[in-house]
Amino acid sequence: MAGEPLVLVVEDEPAQREVLAYNIKAEGYQVITAEAGDEALVLVRETPPDVIVLDWMLPHVSGIEVCRQLKMGVDTARIPVIMLSARSEETDKIRGLETGADDYITKPYSVAELLARLRTQLRRVRPATVGERLDYDDIMIDLAEHRVYRQGEQLRLGPTEFRLLTAFMERPGRVWSREQLLDRVWGRDIYVDSRTVDVHVGRLRKALKAGAHGDPIRTVRGAGYALG
């Protein structure tokens, strides 16, 4: 479904990978999986996830190296990484965190604990998934009430424009390509022409500028759109 957080599970053990994917899907999230480090790096660049659950011991490219490369990338540095490892020594945990992992879970672990850690990371990067309000400049989205305000005045938005604005406000300044907005707002299983994005961004701009307000959405030539 459109708007659901996307979680990448990187685990070379098939049974464990299946268990993780099943339980994360049961939480209402979308899941993609990889069984090797080099495969994970390709997937992240093709389909950026909201959170990565990453095993340390992987074939070809280790989890620690995957984490290092992602945290050095301009477009991937902010993606939270939850590192899974059988290494329980404090020095290993410190190494994982210093490499850039946002959380570290030692095997064996409970799935319930992992899901709780996952929700914590999503609350940080996708506050809309936990029903909180979003603020940017003079714009406020009340996610519980499904309402948008600018300078205290309620705006009328259609459901697609509401989802677009939510995506923009979750990551102000980020440049979204049309394809990324299609994935986030319409969903990966629905075919929509990329020009449809331009139409709905235009409608969103019109609603935001009502009352002689300025246009907060920036068009980045050849790249897409950004808020601010």
Side-chain angles (χ1 to χ4, degrees):
M1 293 176 61
E4 291 177 342
L6 177 65
V7 180
L8 169 60
V9 174
V10 190
E11 168 64 68
D12 65 327
E13 171 56 45
Q16 187 65 23
R17 188 169 64 248
E18 185 176 338
V19 167
L20 286 172
Y22 175 84
N23 283 279
I24 292 171
K25 287 178 182 177
E27 287 288 297
Y29 308 141
Q30 300 179 84
V31 180
I32 53 177
T33 62
E35 59 184 58
D38 50 353
E39 180 188 0
L41 289 169
V42 171
L43 273 177
V44 171
R45 287 172 173 82
E46 289 181 347
T47 310
D50 294 296
V51 179
I52 301 170
V53 178
L54 177 65
D55 188 30
W56 182 311
M57 300 297 293
L58 294 171
H60 307 307
V61 180
S62 70
I64 202 79
E65 176 61 18
V66 169
C67 183
R68 187 190 69 80
Q69 290 191 32
L70 292 176
K71 293 302 180 178
M72 289 178 62
V74 174
D75 297 326
T76 57
R78 294 185 179 181
I79 301 175
V81 173
I82 300 175
M83 182 77 72
L84 307 180
S85 178
R87 299 168 178 260
S88 59
E89 295 294 327
E90 183 179 20
T91 52
D92 293 318
K93 182 175 182 180
I94 291 171
R95 182 184 172 196
L97 294 172
E98 286 185 341
T99 302
D102 299 86
D103 204 347
Y104 188 101
I105 301 179
T106 303
K107 297 180 177 182
Y109 56 84
S110 73
V111 173
E113 178 188 4
L114 185 144
L115 292 174
R117 304 280 190 97
L118 183 60
R119 285 191 293 270
T120 296
Q121 296 303 324
L122 283 170
R123 186 176 294 111
R124 181 165 65 85
V125 297
R126 292 282 307 274
T129 63
V130 291
E132 299 175 357
R133 61 178 268 177
L134 299 173
D135 293 275
Y136 175 79
D137 197 13
D138 58 355
I139 305 170
M140 189 272 280
I141 298 180
D142 186 325
L143 294 158
E145 297 289 336
H146 210 76
R147 295 178 179 177
V148 179
Y149 299 87
R150 189 161 194 190
Q151 293 188 358
E153 180 181 350
Q154 186 175 346
L155 306 180
R156 295 186 178 276
L157 297 183
T160 301
E161 288 70 45
F162 184 90
R163 293 195 299 271
L164 266 175
L165 182 59
T166 299
F168 283 131
M169 289 185 61
E170 283 178 335
R171 298 189 182 177
R174 169 179 171 166
V175 177
W176 294 83
S177 70
R178 290 170 178 81
E179 289 72 24
Q180 289 171 336
L181 287 172
L182 283 172
D183 285 345
R184 172 60 64 87
V185 176
W186 281 267
R188 292 174 174 80
D189 299 324
I190 299 175
Y191 175 75
V192 180
D193 191 283
S194 61
R195 289 173 294 183
T196 302
V197 175
D198 300 330
V199 172
H200 286 279
V201 169
R203 291 176 181 173
L204 175 58
R205 279 176 154 152
K206 182 178 179 181
L208 291 172
K209 292 192 294 182
H213 296 303
D215 184 1
I217 298 175
R218 175 167 50 97
T219 299
V220 182
R221 187 174 180 179
Y225 299 100
L227 179 66

